[in-house]
């Protein structure tokens, strides 16, 4: 009887240590993943980002951006690197006050968006992709609607 109890105790403790050891290794892997810097597969948070003279609506497939007298699009997912930065191409369309004529051709420029995220703040620089002309650097906050004054 004593030998059966010892054998049962040994099996029980072995099983318990095996389960606890496996559980601990899963937790340590999960902790390492949660503390890891953003990898190349992390994306800019979906939703509204806004600031002075800019409002950006980020989707899984890119973004729509409104400025005071312009608008633009990013037609690809915005993927962050390990330093929470991104660089993507898009289209920038200048606008003007007054009505738009039926035969008017939009003034569209190819642009590059370079951004860096720090917490809920995004610093975004917009430059002409061919000439290098700067269209501005903006500070946006996640969840803010921004403050845009459209041309009239």
């Amino acid at each position: 009887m004593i030998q059966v109890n010892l054998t049962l105790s040994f099996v029980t403790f072995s099983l318990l240590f095996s389960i606890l050891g496996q559980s601990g290794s899963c937790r340590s892997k999960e902790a390492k993943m949660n503390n890891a810097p953003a990898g190349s597969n992390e994306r800019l948070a979906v939703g509204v980002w806004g600031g002075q003279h800019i409002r950006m609506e980020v989707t899984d497939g890119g973004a729509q951006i409104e400025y005071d007298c312009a608008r633009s699009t990013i037609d690809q997912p915005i993927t962050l690197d390990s330093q929470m930065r991104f660089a993507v191409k898009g289209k920038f369309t200048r606008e003007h006050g007054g009505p738009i004529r039926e035969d008017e051709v939009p003034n569209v420029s190819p642009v590059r968006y370079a951004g860096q995220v720090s917490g809920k703040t995004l610093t975004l620089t917009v430059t002409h992709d061919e000439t290098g002309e700067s269209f501005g650097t903006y500070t946006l906050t996640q969840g803010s609607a921004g403050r845009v004054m459209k041309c009239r």
Side-chain angles (χ1 to χ4, degrees), residues 23-99:
S23 173
S25 73
C26 288
R27 274 193 224 127
S28 63
K29 285 179 187 174
E30 185 177 312
K32 286 179 187 174
M33 286 173 49
N34 288 339
N35 292 330
S40 61
N41 61 350
E42 188 170 339
R43 292 192 179 167
L44 183 62
V46 170
V48 176
W49 294 76
Q52 289 296 317
H53 312 289
I54 190 168
R55 180 184 191 280
M56 181 166 69
E57 179 79 31
V58 178
T59 65
D60 288 330
Q64 301 288 322
I65 305 170
E66 289 288 327
Y67 310 89
D68 289 347
C69 291
R71 66 183 185 279
S72 62
T73 60
I74 298 172
D75 297 323
Q76 66 188 60
I78 303 171
T79 304
L80 303 172
D81 69 11
S82 62
Q83 272 82 48
M84 302 296 284
R85 296 177 301 193
F86 66 87
V88 293
K89 291 184 178 186
K91 297 175 189 151
F92 184 91
T93 305
R94 294 179 195 265
E95 297 174 336
H96 58 78

